[in-house]
Amino acid sequence: MRKVLALTGAGLLTVIAVAHAQQKPAVDPAKADAAVKAAFANAPADWVPRLTPDETMRRCSQTRNKPGKATAAAIEKRERATIEYPADGNFIGDWKKGEALAQNGYGLRFTDYPPRRASGGNCYACHQLTKKEVSYGTLGPSLLEYGKLRDYKPEAIKAAYEKIYNSHAVLACSNMPRFGTNKILTIDQIKDAVALLMSPDSPVNKGQ
Amino acid sequence: MKNFLQTAFAALCAVAAVTSAPAQDADTEKGIERYRRMLKEDPWSNPGLLDADRGEALWKTARGPKNVSLETCNLGKGPGRVDGAFAELPRFFADANQVLDLETRILWCMEKIQGFNRADLVKRPHPGGGQPVKELGAMATYVASKSSGMKYVAKLDKPQEKEMVALGDELFHRRSGPFDFSCATCHAAEGLRIRLQGLPYLENPSEAKKVIGEWPAYRVSSTHVMTMQHRLYDCYWQMRMPELQIGSDASVALIAYLTKKAEGGEISAPALKR
């Protein structure tokens, strides 16, 4: 009996060791951090935080954007807690401003430093939004008729706001930037983007 | 010449742009393909070759505080051997005790053989839009062109080299900055685009083999030769990261990782890009 227990114990240890080995990163994280620090040694002081992934990005990078169930749930919970809502409870701004925002790729590059104007959302870089704009990327899904397909429901409007503000609150390790949480866009700009998606008279839904 | 190329490119794109969206994508691709084919049929029409020639002259001219040429520079196949050297880079160099890519090795030779001050060389290493590639880049274009038509055979099997490839893999997937981007954000799946620009799936050897060997390449949109170090710098610019230091371990690691993915792929540098 003792022998069996000992063997089982040894077996378990092996299983644990193998599992541990699989989790262990191939490269010492301290080494990667040091290489990144040296590679961007000329970064302005207020850009230095850009070099280090936060806890969410660390987990996403580690799992190659395929977090396990528990990790994904922890990420979504943490990221949801960062969402700030419009004070007046209105999620819809001006779709015309939203369209301009979707076209505009200005901002946050080192050639945009120090910033000369507000950053854009650059939505078209990754998404199809309107039939009129044929120069769109395919990294993200098509958003044609986004509001129409959701019957312009209030909860869908709120969900769109949340998704733009922090995509990881909805889908852990999404490729989409956390536009609100990372201070890329202001709350008003996000409302304009929501208007583009969710206004019945927006070219996203009017389809011409 | 440059104007002619740009006009030809724009005209082809414009022709392609009249039709509807999905058809337009295919037509744009076809237009660009035809443009590339025209240039291939006349290999002398690639302006990058002028930079390769300039690089050859620079390589063979006595320069720097020590007033010597780079003809004794050992790119890995012995002092002065340029033919086929690029096909075996990056590699570990015992004299530098480092893994170096093509540009970083030339940098090392300029410092050690010609006596240039490294800090001056790395200060502004890449050309601005419309400016010709700088001296280091021109020499890299020359050396790479001397492996054109060969296949990538960098072994990357020494412990130091393996370590660099692993670091490159790690950095390729490292997400940070205000946009949370890593290289993999754009280059880890097939058939994707930013706006209309196609994105190679670089983790996939068959796609890496097609594109990695094209650099240094003449880039029509910026009207100059862009080297691989410059290309990475440009990616990090787009990723909203700070300026990537030329010759940094991180840059060499990424190049080692990409070259490993492209192992066996044909070198066609300097190629011609959009």
Side-chain angles (χ1 to χ4, degrees):
Chain A
M1 181 61 174
R2 228 185 246 169
K3 222 177 196 174
V4 172
L5 274 178
L7 276 174
T8 315
L12 271 174
L13 278 176
T14 313
V15 169
I16 290 166
V18 168
H20 186 71
Q22 278 169 349
Q23 274 176 7
K24 206 181 139 216
V27 174
D28 175 7
K31 201 185 138 191
D33 287 344
V36 167
K37 203 176 152 198
F40 300 103
N42 293 346
D46 50 340
W47 275 39
V48 171
R50 295 190 182 196
L51 306 183
T52 313
D54 66 9
E55 176 61 13
T56 294
M57 285 308 119
R58 202 175 61 77
R59 302 299 284 177
C60 293
S61 305
Q62 233 172 38
T63 59
R64 302 294 189 249
N65 298 318
K66 291 184 185 73
K69 248 187 186 172
T71 308
I75 288 173
E76 285 165 14
K77 189 178 167 202
R78 177 170 54 237
E79 296 302 324
R80 185 161 287 275
T82 68
I83 299 178
E84 284 177 42
Y85 292 91
D88 61 0
N90 175 24
F91 295 105
I92 296 203
D94 178 346
W95 70 257
K96 285 184 184 134
K97 285 189 192 166
E99 166 67 15
L101 188 79
Q103 293 282 2
N104 177 8
Y106 175 83
L108 298 162
R109 300 184 184 89
F110 53 74
T111 44
D112 306 327
Y113 183 86
R116 297 181 293 279
R117 53 185 184 272
S119 296
N122 211 11
C123 317
Y124 281 108
C126 300
H127 295 285
Q128 180 181 33
L129 285 141
T130 57
K131 287 206 176 128
K132 201 176 154 202
E133 180 53 85
V134 295
S135 174
Y136 59 85
T138 57
L139 283 156
S142 169
L143 306 177
L144 264 185
E145 303 190 326
Y146 194 87
K148 196 174 167 184
L149 292 169
R150 287 161 182 78
D151 290 328
Y152 312 107
K153 283 188 184 132
E155 55 271 30
I157 293 171
K158 180 168 179 264
Y161 177 91
E162 291 168 335
K163 176 110 200 198
I164 299 168
Y165 198 100
N166 189 329
S167 55
H168 298 257
V170 186
L171 178 67
C173 300
S174 157
N175 271 337
M176 184 162 127
R178 294 172 284 182
F179 288 99
T181 301
N182 284 2
K183 307 277 178 227
I184 301 164
L185 300 178
T186 63
I187 287 179
D188 282 339
Q189 286 179 305
I190 294 175
K191 283 167 63 173
D192 292 337
V194 172
L196 181 65
L197 292 175
M198 301 304 290
S199 294
D201 53 347
S202 150
V204 167
N205 300 312
K206 269 209 145 164
Q208 69 89 10
Chain B
M1 179 62 163
K2 271 175 194 168
N3 280 338
F4 165 73
L5 281 174
Q6 277 186 310
T7 313
F9 188 70
L12 282 168
C13 291
V15 166
V18 202
T19 42
S20 69
Q24 183 228 13
D25 297 348
D27 285 355
T28 304
E29 258 320 300
K30 256 190 238 161
I32 295 169
E33 220 11 81
R34 206 175 84 205
Y35 166 65
R36 291 202 184 110
R37 209 172 46 238
M38 276 160 61
L39 286 155
K40 254 194 178 163
E41 282 162 9
D42 178 10
W44 300 107
S45 61
N46 182 346
L49 293 172
L50 298 172
D51 296 290
D53 282 353
R54 184 161 62 95
E56 181 173 14
L58 285 163
W59 183 266
K60 292 175 176 170
T61 303
R63 293 173 356 111
K66 295 187 186 167
N67 199 36
V68 287
S69 81
L70 284 178
E71 286 162 299
T72 59
C73 175
N74 185 349
L75 294 167
K77 291 173 75 79
R81 281 202 58 188
V82 172
D83 286 4
F86 177 60
E88 295 177 24
L89 290 169
R91 71 198 299 163
F92 177 73
F93 289 90
D95 55 7
N97 193 29
Q98 264 181 308
V99 178
L100 303 172
D101 72 307
L102 170 61
E103 290 163 78
T104 313
R105 182 59 179 176
I106 298 175
L107 204 59
W108 190 89
C109 284
M110 288 174 82
E111 186 190 359
K112 303 294 173 190
I113 298 173
Q114 296 182 311
F116 280 109
N117 180 4
R118 186 184 164 100
D120 294 339
L121 296 173
V122 301
K123 212 175 200 173
R124 289 199 156 273
H126 309 305
Q131 299 297 311
V133 69
K134 300 213 171 178
E135 293 178 345
L136 172 61
M139 287 190 279
T141 308
Y142 158 62
V143 174
S145 75
K146 288 291 179 182
S147 290
S148 196
M150 299 179 192
K151 288 187 171 23
Y152 270 123
V153 286
K155 290 196 190 78
L156 296 162
D157 58 357
K158 292 192 177 129
Q160 298 93 333
E161 294 166 347
K162 279 186 181 163
E163 215 178 297
M164 275 312 232
V165 172
L167 178 62
D169 188 349
E170 179 75 14
L171 298 177
F172 189 88
H173 295 94
R174 181 183 170 109
R175 298 180 67 172
S176 74
F179 276 24
D180 298 325
F181 284 170
S182 71
C183 309
T185 304
C186 289
H187 298 290
E190 216 174 322
L192 300 178
R193 310 189 313 238
I194 290 188
R195 290 275 185 163
L196 288 181
Q197 178 61 41
L199 298 160
Y201 176 14
L202 295 174
E203 285 185 281
N204 179 353
S206 72
E207 289 205 30
K209 274 187 211 175
K210 275 188 228 158
V211 296
I212 300 299
E214 295 186 314
W215 303 89
Y218 186 85
R219 214 184 194 200
V220 178
S221 55
S222 48
T223 65
H224 56 210
V225 163
M226 190 178 248
T227 63
M228 190 50 121
Q229 284 276 348
H230 189 182
R231 188 66 197 82
L232 294 181
Y233 170 95
D234 203 44
C235 268
Y236 275 116
W237 168 79
Q238 196 66 277
M239 287 158 72
R240 276 70 177 178
M241 289 288 278
E243 291 186 69
L244 178 69
Q245 298 296 298
I246 189 170
S248 55
D249 273 357
S251 69
V252 176
L254 281 166
I255 292 172
Y257 173 70
L258 294 173
T259 309
K260 186 73 192 166
K261 289 284 179 197
E263 192 174 358
E266 191 179 314
I267 294 162
S268 55
L272 202 97
K273 306 290 282 186
R274 54 118 181 156

